[in-house]
């Protein structure tokens, strides 16, 4: 017989807390490794204020975060140890938007579970049965990944050191993309030309998402890091005059690997090179550095739609 897990028991299985908690209920199936979960998407979700004003859509990366939280709970129930953390996204497709008033239902399978890792596949649907996203990923644990910084301010890679002036500050970025607090993550753009954009993201303990983990350490969630990369790509596309009055939507994450979490005090340099760009679709490779250390590498695609759409 299946078992329903709700609060307060879920607090023991999911380390995230407000405002990053994205699971309301989990059903453990009779079938080994099979789970279903529910997230009620209310108009009061804090991120709708910034994504997007007057056109609220649940960010695709928060579907990823919800899946990761269910996967983390399943990982613990299946015998995994430590704090779950997404190490790789093998592929993720975004099919339909999730809107205020929807119920997000996640169907998840977990396999190859060890104490330190697991393989996960999941489909997220709305209450009308429409598929919203499909993802396969690999879980690891934070305890297996060095987190604590060794220097106060790391040295910058030489190729980034030449970008001494801001191309866009936060005001210019806000004029280019529709994202707003608490869901605007790019702090500066330091280079932009010829299908290439470089931006900066400063990570602080004061950010709500930096506080979403209980021990071993606060880290920037993989979902927020992924969104930051996508926003940088959208800055490039939406800065083009022909794309005025458009918004950017995630289409897919083709592949992503997260080598080490970003922590408060990090200055992330995000190097996004587009390898395909047409009027409605962009695709590129994004590398995220802290100093000379490669934190993550992602291949992603996104589309432009009219703001009214």
């Amino acid at each position: 017989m299946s078992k329903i897990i709700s609060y307060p028991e879920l607090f023991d299985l999911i380390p995230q807390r407000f405002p990053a908690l994205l699971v309301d209920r989990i059903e453990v199936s009779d079938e080994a490794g099979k789970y279903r979960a529910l997230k009620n998407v209310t108009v009061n979700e804090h991120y709708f204020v910034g994504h997007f004003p007057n056109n609220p859509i649940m960010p695709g990366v928060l579907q990823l975060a919800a899946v990761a939280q269910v996967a983390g709970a399943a990982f613990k129930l299946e015998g995994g140890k430590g704090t779950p953390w997404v190490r790789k996204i093998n592929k993720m497709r975004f099919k339909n938007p999730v809107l205020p008033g929807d119920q997000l239902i996640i169907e998840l399978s977990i396999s190859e579970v060890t104490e330190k890792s697991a393989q996960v596949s999941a489909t997220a649907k709305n209450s009308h049965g429409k598929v919203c996203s499909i993802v396969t990923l690999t879980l690891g644990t934070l305890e297996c990944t060095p987190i604590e910084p060794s220097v106060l301010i790391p040295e910058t890679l030489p190729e980034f050191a030449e970008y001494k002036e801001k191309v866009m500050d936060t005001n210019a970025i806000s004029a280019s993309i529709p994202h707003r607090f608490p869901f605007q993550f790019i702090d500066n753009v330091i280079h932009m030309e010829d299908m290439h954009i470089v931006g900066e993201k400063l990570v602080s303990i004061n950010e709500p998402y930096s506080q979403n983990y209980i021990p071993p350490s606060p880290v920037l969630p993989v979902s927020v890091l992924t969104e930051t990369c996508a926003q940088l790509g959208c800055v490039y596309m939406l800065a083009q005059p022909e794309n005025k009055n458009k918004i950017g939507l995630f289409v897919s994450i083709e592949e992503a690997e997260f080598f080490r979490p970003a922590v408060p005090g990090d200055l992330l340099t995000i190097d996004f090179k587009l390898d395909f760009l047409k009027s409605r679709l962009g695709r590129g490779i994004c590398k995220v550095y802290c100093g000379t250390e490669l934190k993550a590498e992602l291949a992603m695609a996104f589309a432009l739609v009219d703001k009214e759409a």
Side-chain angles (χ1 to χ4, degrees), residues 168-180 184 235 238-239 244-246 307:
M168 301 174 74
D169 61 12
T170 52
N171 291 328
I173 293 166
S174 295
S176 177
I177 60 175
H179 306 74
R180 296 293 181 267
Q184 181 177 331
V235 167
L238 295 175
K244 187 178 180 181
N245 295 320
K246 301 279 197 306
K307 284 184 179 180

Side-chain angles (χ1 to χ4, degrees), residues 6-84:
S6 58
Y7 294 98
E9 187 177 355
L10 277 180
F11 284 131
D12 296 328
L13 297 173
I14 300 175
Q16 287 82 4
R17 297 295 183 264
F18 176 85
L21 195 54
L22 291 164
V23 179
D24 288 317
R25 194 173 293 168
I26 293 177
E27 179 184 58
V28 183
S29 172
D30 291 336
E31 188 176 353
K34 301 291 186 182
Y35 295 81
R36 296 174 75 232
L38 172 69
K39 166 59 184 161
N40 283 338
V41 182
T42 82
V43 71
N44 289 320
E45 303 288 348
H46 73 288
Y47 49 79
F48 284 138
V49 176
H51 195 278
F52 300 105
N54 303 318
N55 191 18
I57 301 170
M58 183 183 190
V61 296
L62 294 190
Q63 294 183 52
L64 169 63
V67 168
Q69 289 176 23
V70 179
F75 174 70
K76 290 188 174 182
L77 290 168
E78 298 285 332
K81 306 294 183 183
T83 305

Side-chain angles (χ1 to χ4, degrees), residues 9 23 28 44 81 93 105 107 120 157 172 269 273 295:
E9 187 177 355
V23 179
V28 183
N44 289 320
K81 306 294 183 183
R93 293 280 188 271
I105 301 164
E107 299 172 352
V120 174
L157 280 172
T269 304
K273 294 180 179 177
K295 291 276 193 180

